[in-house]
């Protein structure tokens, strides 16, 4: 407001004033005129010629928002489509045709809840047109205000692009668009890299929609530390924001000019303002246009103190593929503990979980479902604990117990497992399997392999530490091994299944079984390592569907330290003699030489099986269990897949030829025996 009113100065006063001015020297006269001009015009913004906002509600309820742009020859109008939340109908044209185009496009349907117009169109002509066009039309239902759902306080990981650095992004919701604090927080957000340049060099900030983010490059292993440090810096800034007036003023000016420049492209600007209206009404549009003009050091400080402490934000750790799947990372740490427990622990600092897989070794898969039943008892004991692991699963083929917890909680996982083992592993009572031909044939095959199949299979024996192997994946392998040593995972009894003192040739090969089905288990020995046995097993399994018609065929892979052997279990209705004869006659067809076409399909199937079993944290823990058992050497899943896909046809055929040339087939059988009638 001016210090005086010109209409209160009479003629005498003017004459006196002019006389005083006339007596001034030229320098004083220029100073006086400068002060006079400032008093008259200095109280108005230097941007008084910028955009102007007009908001008016028509009689039918339609709200008209007009943003007049200086020097704009084009205009654009947007309004929501009926029953469409995100779609907008837009019209754009020059000063000569805009109103005509708008009248043609808006004549049909219900009256829209809002019409947003940006450009140089005159206010009176626009309002008159809309009043005339929308008169006596029903108002379209108003869309619900759109809000962006945002969960704060959490943390997630996302896969980045190949070759990019690991980055930590902290996303914080901004005040709603209709809030007077919005522009002040946006100014503060753009100033963060300057204020944090010492604590967080290289910090970048930005705003997308209603979310502000700060981003910095980070070592994946130190992401949690960096996140805590960044949140502490924001809290410290909110408590005592050390702001510099000139920096705030310059940033507010940049924000104002940036928003003004966006309005120069009238159609995108109209869509943006319509989106703002949907989120915050006319107030959101008003604050977007004029909010930066009111930003001061005091308003930024008050906004920081009032907004930041209650919004911890959401952290996103973006990791490139090399972090998730490191190419040259070391293999697992292999240790045999004092209680004779074999352990293989893979250290992966970026693992999202700590995983543990426990498998019995001797009798692995050859005792029917007995081992899985015993592991299920351990799982049941785990589930009764107050601090039970979040993930507990028992697999049957092959028998194994899988556990998982958070990446930093492996010690509690081993403690819970040992508590459950102490409950179950002291039971020396025999656990019997079903007395089917299938189960009996497998137990006889265990005897062929040199295992004392006649011994009692009990929880105490299966869970003895010398009969268990553990594979694990954790961020810290040494700490995991120490936890296993501390809690002494495994039973304490010495009742594990043991090698038979009798010669293998003396093992029983046949047992009768009730029922109509017979079962034959045939041992297939391999001199070659991965992936030849897996390839041959898949080939035989595919061929058995047609060669052994009506039979069920399973390929088992028991854990036998120092030996690679598969067991082909064939089950079919009929007597033992009939099934053995069928298997002998079909043996050459099952193991005949293969072709490139057949091998190509087998490669894909085996590769898919390998990668699905060994992928991820739990898959690597399964692979570590195999390494601990001495069954296989360590390889990354991607390398294992490539090994399968590049296996040579000649290598597969060489193995098939060797199996065919084996003179005797080791097999065990069970089922109904043929009835022999004696002649008198």
């Amino acid at each position: 407001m001016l210090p005086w009113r010109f209409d209160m100065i009479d003629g005498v006063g003017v004459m006196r004033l002019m006389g005083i001015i006339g007596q001034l020297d030229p320098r004083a006269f220029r100073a006086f005129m400068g002060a006079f001009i400032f008093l008259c015009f200095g109280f108005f913004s230097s941007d008084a010629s910028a955009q102007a906002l007009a908001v008016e509600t028509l009689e039918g309820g339609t709200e008209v928002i007009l943003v007049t742009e200086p020097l704009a020859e084009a205009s654009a109008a947007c309004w929501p489509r009926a029953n469409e939340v995100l779609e907008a109908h837009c019209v754009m044209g020059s000063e000569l045709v805009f109103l005509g185009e708008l009248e043609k496009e808006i004549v049909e349907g219900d009256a829209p809840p809002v019409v947003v117009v940006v450009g140089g169109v005159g206010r009176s002509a626009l309002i008159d047109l809309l009043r005339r066009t929308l008169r006596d039309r029903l108002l379209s239902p108003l869309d619900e205000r759109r809000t962006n759902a945002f969960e704060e306080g959490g943390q997630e990981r996302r896969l980045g692009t190949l070759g990019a650095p690991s980055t930590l992004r902290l996303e914080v919701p901004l005040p709603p668009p209709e809030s007077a604090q919005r522009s002040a927080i946006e100014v503060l957000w753009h100033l963060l890299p300057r204020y944090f340049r010492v604590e967080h060099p290289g910090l970048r900030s930005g705003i997308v929609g209603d979310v502000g983010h700060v981003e910095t490059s980070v070592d994946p292993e130190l992401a949690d530390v960096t996140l805590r440090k960044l949140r502490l810096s924001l809290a410290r800034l909110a408590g005592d924001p050390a702001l510099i007036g000139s920096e705030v003023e310059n940033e507010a000016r940049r924000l104002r000019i940036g928003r003004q420049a966006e309005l120069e492209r009238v159609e995108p600007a109209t869509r943006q303002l319509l989106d703002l209206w949907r989120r915050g009404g006319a107030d959101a549009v008003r604050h977007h246009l004029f909010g930066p003009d009111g930003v001061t050091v005091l308003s930024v400080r008050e906004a920081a103190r009032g907004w930041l402490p209650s919004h911890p934000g959401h952290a996103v750790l973006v990791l490139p593929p090399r972090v998730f799947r490191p190419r040259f990372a070391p293999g697992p740490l292999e240790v045999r503990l004092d209680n004779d427990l074999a352990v293989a622990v893979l250290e992966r600092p970026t693992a999202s979980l700590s995983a543990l897989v426990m498998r019995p070794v001797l009798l692995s898969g050859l005792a029917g479902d007995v081992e899985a039943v015993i592991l299920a008892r351990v799982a049941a004991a785990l589930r009764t604990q107050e601090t039970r692991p979040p993930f507990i699963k028992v697999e049957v083929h092959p028998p194994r117990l899988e556990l998982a917890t958070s990446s930093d909680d492996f010690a509690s996982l081993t403690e819970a497992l040992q508590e459950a083992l102490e409950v179950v592993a002291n039971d020396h009572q025999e656990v019997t399997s079903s007395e089917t031909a299938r189960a009996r044939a497998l137990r006889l095959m265990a005897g062929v392999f040199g295992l004392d199949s006649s011994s009692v299979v009990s929880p105490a024996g299966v869970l003895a530490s010398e009969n268990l192997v553990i594979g694990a994946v954790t961020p810290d392998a040494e700490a995991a091994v120490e936890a296993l040593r501390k809690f002494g995972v495994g039973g304490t009894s010495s009742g594990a299944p043991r090698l038979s003192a009798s010669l293998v040739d003396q093992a029983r090969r046949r047992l009768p079984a009730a029922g109509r089905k017979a079962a034959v288990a045939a041992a297939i020995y391999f001199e070659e390592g991965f992936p030849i046995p897996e390839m041959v097993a898949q080939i035989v399994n595919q061929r058995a569907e047609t060669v052994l018609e009506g039979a069920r065929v399973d390929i088992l892979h028991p854990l036998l330290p120092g030996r690679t052997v598969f067991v082909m279990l064939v089950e079919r209705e009929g007597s033992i003699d009939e099934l053995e004869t069928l298997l002998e006659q079909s043996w050459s067809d099952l193991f005949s030489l293969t072709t490139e076409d057949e091998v190509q399909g087998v490669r894909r199937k085996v590769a898919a099986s390998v990668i699905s079993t060994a992928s991820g944290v739990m898959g690597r823990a399964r692979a570590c269990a195999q390494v601990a058992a001495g069954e296989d050497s360590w390889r990354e899943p991607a390398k294992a897949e490539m090994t399968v896909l590049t296996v040579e046809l000649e290598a597969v055929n060489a193995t098939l030829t060797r199996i065919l040339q084996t003179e005797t087939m080791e097999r065990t059988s069970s089922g109904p025996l043929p009835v022999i009638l004696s002649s008198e």
Side-chain angles (χ1 to χ4, degrees):
M1 183 177 180
L2 296 175
W4 68 82
R5 290 172 51 192
F6 288 102
D7 59 357
M8 296 177 60
I9 302 178
D10 56 14
V12 176
V14 172
M15 293 300 295
R16 289 178 178 175
L17 181 61
M18 295 302 295
I20 294 173
I21 295 174
Q23 297 175 4
L24 297 176
D25 58 33
R27 182 179 298 175
F29 177 76
R30 287 195 298 269
F32 175 82
M33 292 305 296
F36 179 78
I37 293 172
F38 171 78
L39 290 173
C40 293
F41 303 104
F43 296 98
F44 298 97
S45 169
S46 60
D47 296 309
S49 60
Q51 72 276 348
L53 174 67
V55 179
E56 184 165 339
T57 303
L58 304 182
E59 291 80 358
T62 299
E63 191 170 25
V64 181
I65 297 178
L66 170 63
V67 179
T68 303
E69 279 289 293
L71 303 180
E73 281 80 17
S75 298
C78 283
W79 59 92
R81 289 183 183 272
N83 301 322
E84 296 281 353
V85 177
L86 299 178
E87 289 294 325
H89 192 95
C90 293
V91 174
M92 187 181 72
S94 66
E95 186 177 355
L96 295 176
V97 302
F98 172 69
L99 291 177
E101 294 294 327
L102 176 61
E103 185 174 10
K104 286 193 298 183
E105 293 293 332
I106 206 169
V107 292
E108 297 181 357
D110 295 338
V114 65
V115 177
V116 179
V117 182
V118 176
V121 65
R123 175 180 178 277
S124 298
L126 175 68
I127 297 299
D128 290 344
L129 170 66
L130 292 176
R131 277 202 179 106
R132 184 177 67 256
T133 307
L134 302 179
R135 183 183 298 130
D136 301 328
R137 287 164 63 177
L138 294 176
L139 187 67
S140 178
L142 185 64
D143 297 336
E144 295 184 2
R145 298 295 187 198
R146 289 200 298 113
T147 58
N148 295 325
F150 196 90
E151 181 181 354
E152 295 195 63
Q155 183 175 347
E156 64 177 281
R157 298 185 179 196
R158 296 178 186 171
L159 180 64
T161 57
L162 186 65
S166 301
T167 58
L168 175 65
R169 174 193 292 250
L170 181 62
E171 300 175 344
V172 176
L174 301 178
E178 68 272 18
S179 171
Q181 293 182 327
R182 175 62 176 261
S183 295
I185 290 294
E186 287 196 27
V187 168
L188 175 65
W189 209 257
H190 289 300
L191 290 172
L192 289 181
R194 188 173 305 173
Y195 293 147
F196 292 163
R197 58 181 175 270
V198 176
E199 299 175 79
H200 306 279
L203 186 75
R204 303 172 295 278
S205 67
I207 295 173
V208 179
D210 292 335
V211 178
H213 66 267
V214 288
E215 186 176 280
T216 184
S217 299
V218 65
D219 185 337
E221 299 182 22
L222 301 177
D224 291 337
V225 176
T226 306
L227 176 59
R228 287 195 296 268
K229 185 178 177 182
L230 184 57
R231 280 180 167 152
L232 181 61
S233 299
L234 285 173
R236 198 180 299 125
L237 178 67
D240 184 21
L243 304 174
I244 300 175
S246 60
E247 294 180 346
V248 172
E249 182 181 348
N250 290 336
E251 195 56 51
R253 180 173 173 271
R254 291 190 190 95
L255 181 62
R256 181 182 65 247
I257 293 175
R259 291 180 179 178
Q260 282 183 220
E262 289 175 350
L263 295 174
E264 292 294 316
R265 299 177 60 209
V266 290
E267 184 176 0
T270 308
R271 292 180 182 274
Q272 180 186 8
L273 295 182
L274 177 60
D275 183 66
L276 278 171
W277 180 88
R278 280 179 166 138
R279 286 148 52 199
D283 286 340
V285 177
R286 184 176 292 107
H287 285 298
H288 179 79
L289 297 176
F290 308 116
D293 292 330
V295 174
T296 63
V297 172
L298 180 60
S299 66
V300 174
R301 182 177 289 115
E302 290 178 350
R305 289 174 176 171
W307 186 260
L308 291 181
S310 57
H311 294 279
H314 182 79
V316 178
L317 183 60
V318 182
L319 300 173
R322 61 181 172 80
V323 176
F324 285 92
R325 300 187 300 274
R327 288 186 178 181
F328 306 108
L333 174 64
E334 299 181 53
V335 179
R336 185 166 289 275
L337 304 183
D338 295 339
N339 62 351
D340 211 22
L341 176 71
V343 175
V345 182
L346 183 66
E347 181 175 304
R348 290 294 180 265
T350 58
S352 58
L353 298 170
S354 283
L356 183 149
V357 173
M358 184 177 73
R359 288 187 64 175
V361 181
L362 300 179
L363 290 183
S364 177
L366 298 179
D369 56 356
V370 171
E371 293 160 302
V373 169
I374 294 173
L375 293 178
R377 292 185 184 180
V378 178
L382 281 166
R383 292 188 178 99
T384 61
Q385 298 177 9
E386 292 184 4
T387 58
R388 60 185 177 274
F391 177 84
I392 305 170
K393 186 177 182 181
V394 175
E395 292 284 351
V396 179
H397 301 295
R400 61 177 177 247
L401 175 66
E402 299 180 351
L403 307 175
T405 187
S406 59
S407 58
D408 58 349
D409 204 21
F410 185 81
S412 67
L413 193 69
T414 57
E415 182 179 8
L417 177 58
Q418 182 54 25
E419 288 181 7
L421 288 173
E422 289 174 355
V423 173
V424 181
N426 291 325
D427 184 2
H428 292 265
Q429 294 293 321
E430 180 180 7
V431 178
T432 58
S433 63
S434 56
E435 291 299 319
T436 61
R438 176 189 181 89
R440 289 192 172 190
L442 287 176
R443 291 297 298 273
L444 290 175
M445 184 56 70
V448 171
F449 291 148
L451 300 174
D452 189 358
S453 58
S454 62
S455 62
V456 173
V457 181
S458 66
V462 172
L463 300 177
S465 57
E466 61 266 30
N467 188 50
L468 296 177
V469 295
I470 283 184
V473 178
T474 70
D476 189 337
E478 292 185 0
V481 172
E482 288 302 316
L484 290 167
R485 280 199 180 102
K486 176 182 177 181
F487 297 108
V489 171
T492 57
S493 70
S494 58
R498 58 189 182 276
L499 294 176
S500 175
S502 60
L503 296 175
V504 172
D505 291 340
Q506 296 176 347
R508 297 184 65 180
R509 303 300 176 106
R510 275 189 168 197
L511 267 181
R516 301 175 60 183
K517 289 185 177 182
V520 175
I524 307 171
Y525 294 95
F526 291 92
E527 299 173 357
E528 305 81 2
F530 178 86
I532 298 299
E534 288 77 8
M535 294 286 294
V536 171
Q538 181 62 34
I539 290 173
V540 172
N541 205 19
Q542 289 182 177
R543 293 175 175 179
E545 294 180 3
T546 55
V547 175
L548 300 174
E549 187 177 356
R552 173 187 171 184
V553 179
D554 293 312
I555 307 293
L556 307 179
H557 187 186
L559 280 179
L560 296 177
R563 285 184 283 182
T564 302
V565 59
F566 280 18
V567 174
M568 183 172 68
L569 182 64
V570 184
E571 189 177 9
R572 186 184 178 185
E573 287 191 2
S575 66
I576 293 178
D577 289 344
E578 292 173 348
L579 185 55
E580 287 182 343
T581 301
L582 175 64
L583 187 58
E584 289 175 357
Q585 294 173 349
S586 306
W587 194 257
S588 59
D589 294 330
L590 291 172
F591 293 93
S592 61
L593 298 183
T594 184
T595 63
E596 182 60 37
D597 290 341
E598 185 180 28
V599 167
Q600 187 63 27
V602 170
R603 288 191 192 107
R604 291 195 296 268
K605 290 183 179 180
V606 174
S609 175
V610 167
I611 202 70
S612 63
T613 303
S615 178
V617 177
M618 189 62 73
R620 284 171 169 79
R622 298 184 193 111
C624 287
Q626 291 181 322
V627 172
E631 177 192 15
D632 201 359
S633 58
W634 169 255
R635 59 179 64 86
E636 286 288 342
K639 184 177 180 181
E641 180 189 28
M642 184 57 64
T643 303
V644 174
L645 293 174
T646 56
V647 68
E648 296 290 341
L649 171 65
E650 291 76 11
V652 178
N653 278 334
T655 301
L656 291 172
T657 301
R658 183 186 54 77
I659 295 174
L660 277 176
Q661 292 175 350
T662 304
E663 295 182 359
T664 59
M665 175 177 57
E666 284 193 346
R667 66 180 183 227
T668 57
S669 309
S670 182
L673 294 174
V675 178
I676 301 176
L677 299 176
S678 60
S679 59
E680 294 182 356

